[in-house]
Amino acid sequence: MNEIAALLRRLSVGVYVIGVTDGERRSAFTAAWVTQVSFDPLLLAVSVNPQNASYAILRAGGAFTVNVLERGQLELARRFGTLSSRDVDKLAGIQWHKGKNGAPVLDDALAYVECELQDRHPAGDHELVVGLVVGGRVVHPAAAPMLYAETGDMDGSSAMFG
């Protein structure tokens, strides 16, 4: 891994599974780029690759959840980050329930936030999706969140800076 990729791994960002819904269609994907952007109203921004199969579901359904993973849930992050939802139901075999907005909430998540889609902004090869927070809960208050550095090269970023 080169120096830039190693440096980016040291930024303090978490690892999240973004649940999306549109009617009966549901999916989820791993994201590391989630941040609060406003207190009033309470807004979060998520960086999404528009080529991701789940992105069309997010846009059509207008709702999503941010499931906060806890330290040690690398296999869960890998499952939602590497499987293509075009090929397989990533939620199969995972315990989850519908949030207030209908989007998947992972039962094993440290915490979750429920959002309604408010806006979208192009950002290079990704899109910033802004969501209005409409609910959420800390499920495991004593747990520590997973950090991006724990994922190693799961996202293949070292090849991007080669």
Side-chain angles (χ1 to χ4, degrees), residues 67-145:
N67 294 276
V68 181
L69 296 186
E70 70 180 72
R71 190 171 291 151
Q73 290 184 315
L74 181 59
E75 288 311 309
L76 198 56
R78 184 173 282 120
R79 174 189 185 102
F80 290 103
T82 58
L83 293 177
S84 169
S85 58
R86 288 181 181 96
D87 302 332
V88 66
D89 177 2
K90 292 194 253 182
L91 292 164
I94 300 292
Q95 292 192 346
W96 63 276
H97 62 276
K98 291 181 189 179
K100 286 189 281 189
N101 62 12
V105 172
L106 303 182
D107 292 350
D108 288 338
L110 181 153
Y112 64 91
V113 180
E114 298 172 289
C115 296
E116 293 176 357
L117 182 62
Q118 293 294 296
D119 209 352
R120 299 175 295 116
H121 304 276
D125 64 353
H126 277 58
E127 189 164 284
L128 296 179
V129 175
V130 178
L132 174 69
V133 174
V134 295
R137 179 172 165 239
V138 175
V139 180
H140 302 287

Side-chain angles (χ1 to χ4, degrees), residues 32-68:
W33 303 319
V34 176
T35 192
Q36 179 183 341
V37 294
S38 172
F39 282 109
D40 188 16
L42 188 53
L43 300 172
L44 295 182
V46 178
S47 182
V48 181
N49 181 340
Q51 301 304 314
N52 185 309
S54 298
Y55 178 72
I57 298 172
L58 187 158
R59 282 190 60 183
F64 62 94
T65 55
V66 176
N67 294 276
V68 181

